[in-house]
Amino acid sequence: MALDRIALENFRNHARSELRETRGFNLLFGENGAGKTNVLEAISLLAPGRGLRRAALDQMVGPAGAGFAIGASLREQGHESARIGTFVEGERPGRRQVRVNGAEASAASLGEWVAMSWLIPSMDGLFMDSAGARRRFIDRLALAIEPGHARNVSRYEAALRERNKLLEKGADTTWLDAIEAQAAEHGEQVAVTRSALVTTLSDELTALPDEPFARPLLTYRAGGPLERPALREEFARQRPRDRAAGRALTGPHRDELEVVMAGSGQPAASCSTGEQKAMLIAIILAHSALAAAGRPSVLLLDEVAAHLDPVRRSALFDRLRQGRAQVWLTGTERAPFEEITEEAAVWRVSGGSLEKL
């Protein structure tokens, strides 16, 4: 199953673009600024979340104003099985709406139809970034497998904000007990989902050969107790400390993803840029394999091939062939993709326009 008949209307620099007769490999090439990544971003919005750029909705609206629209067919064995779409109306620019087979649906429900993964250049510094960036990374991966994860994260964070306000005001313990119960309930679900994902990813990565991509070893470090009763007790015990700090110092919002390179045991942040990129690719490929189980899976790779040597590039294509995900790749020229050009659907992108080759 794959995405086909993908339509963009007034999305960034695409006034009206359509991609038909897609394949397992799909290649978009053109000059920088032509609109290649905009297509990937539009596709990423056919899944729960804020898309691969995490941009505000009004930043995605094209020059015509009055909102944007993105739609696609889910194709199975050559036949359309569903039509999914998302749009923003001009009079409601702050709200993204979703339709599935013409009926109104929630953004979270998109995760039941398609699992989306991506690797974009801005992710290259993940191992050097903050713990918060790595938590968002894990949450994004978890969302592709467990669509309800985003709701649990949102409710946990909302409960923590309310708890901070109550602590600041010196509220009665009854109110604190109630809000901490909510935080512990959703916090447990968040932590368990993250921990299970890291464990499953680690198993998938362990089965892979070390070459040609550096194999990462993942460890989930919980920021507090995982089980609800213990987490609730910890919140209550730490009220004086948290009141003085102005924030909760224990809980899933303090989780950390630790990554080291197999063999050397060197922390990913201390590895070379090339090694970090190779480990990140390995994680994304392992996740894509997991996400493809039971649902259509789409993998978006922005400017990946150009940064790999020929051996690793060929190995990447081989791994992608073996997977079940529909793959979308971008590049400024066709040369790095010659190995897959004959089996790919190819478009030239120029000034927000698409030409099928």
Side-chain angles (χ1 to χ4, degrees), residues 123-136:
M123 295 166 60
D124 288 353
L126 177 70
F127 305 127
M128 306 286 290
D129 211 331
S130 65
R134 287 183 288 280
R135 283 192 295 273
R136 288 192 296 272

Side-chain angles (χ1 to χ4, degrees), residues 197-215:
L197 173 63
V198 172
T199 297
T200 308
L201 273 176
S202 295
D203 292 342
E204 188 79 15
L205 288 164
T206 299
L208 298 177
D210 290 338
E211 295 295 339
F213 297 110
R215 182 162 58 88

Side-chain angles (χ1 to χ4, degrees), residues 217-238:
L217 300 178
L218 311 182
T219 303
Y220 171 79
R221 300 293 185 194
L226 292 181
E227 296 182 355
R228 187 183 313 180
L231 183 55
R232 184 175 179 178
E233 291 176 5
E234 185 68 8
F235 282 141
R237 189 173 69 86
Q238 296 295 348

Side-chain angles (χ1 to χ4, degrees), residues 7-19 28 33-42 53 60-64 67-70 347-355:
L8 288 65
E9 184 172 348
N10 199 42
F11 184 81
R12 294 200 183 265
N13 69 333
H14 289 267
R16 188 182 296 272
S17 295
E18 189 171 45
L19 301 101
L28 304 164
K36 306 183 299 295
T37 305
N38 293 343
V39 174
L40 298 193
E41 181 182 28
R53 283 189 176 116
M60 305 179 200
V61 177
F68 64 79
I70 305 160
W347 289 267
R348 179 186 288 112
V349 186
S350 177
S353 297
L354 301 176
E355 179 188 0

Side-chain angles (χ1 to χ4, degrees), residues 153-313:
V153 171
S154 177
R155 290 178 177 177
Y156 171 70
E157 292 176 346
L160 282 191
R161 288 193 295 270
E162 183 62 27
R163 177 178 181 267
N164 291 341
K165 293 177 183 178
L166 292 175
L167 286 173
E168 183 180 0
K169 294 177 181 177
D172 185 88
T173 56
T174 302
W175 292 101
L176 282 166
D177 287 343
I179 200 65
E180 286 172 355
Q182 293 179 31
E185 176 186 356
H186 299 298
E188 177 189 53
Q189 296 175 21
V190 168
V192 167
T193 298
R194 287 174 177 167
S195 178
L197 173 63
V198 172
T199 297
T200 308
L201 273 176
S202 295
D203 292 342
E204 188 79 15
L205 288 164
T206 299
L208 298 177
D210 290 338
E211 295 295 339
F213 297 110
R215 182 162 58 88
L217 300 178
L218 311 182
T219 303
Y220 171 79
R221 300 293 185 194
L226 292 181
E227 296 182 355
R228 187 183 313 180
L231 183 55
R232 184 175 179 178
E233 291 176 5
E234 185 68 8
F235 282 141
R237 189 173 69 86
Q238 296 295 348
R239 286 173 187 172
R241 184 189 67 167
D242 292 349
R243 181 183 292 111
R247 65 188 188 280
L249 299 177
T250 300
H253 61 290
R254 306 282 290 184
D255 290 351
E256 172 64 290
L257 173 67
E258 295 182 357
V259 182
V260 301
M261 188 165 65
S264 69
Q266 188 173 9
S270 301
C271 293
S272 70
T273 301
E275 289 169 335
Q276 291 185 34
K277 183 75 171 185
M279 284 190 283
L280 188 55
I281 290 174
I283 292 172
I284 294 298
L285 292 177
H287 173 262
S288 180
L290 295 174
R295 279 179 299 158
S297 179
V298 175
L299 179 57
L300 311 174
L301 301 175
D302 192 19
E303 299 287 354
V304 170
H307 301 287
L308 298 175
D309 60 57
V311 173
R312 284 195 173 95
R313 191 160 57 231

Side-chain angles (χ1 to χ4, degrees), residues 91-112:
E91 61 270 21
R92 304 175 75 178
R95 179 172 179 262
R96 181 161 77 96
Q97 301 181 65
V98 171
R99 293 283 189 273
V100 176
N101 292 328
E104 185 174 352
S106 67
S109 70
L110 289 172
E112 300 171 7

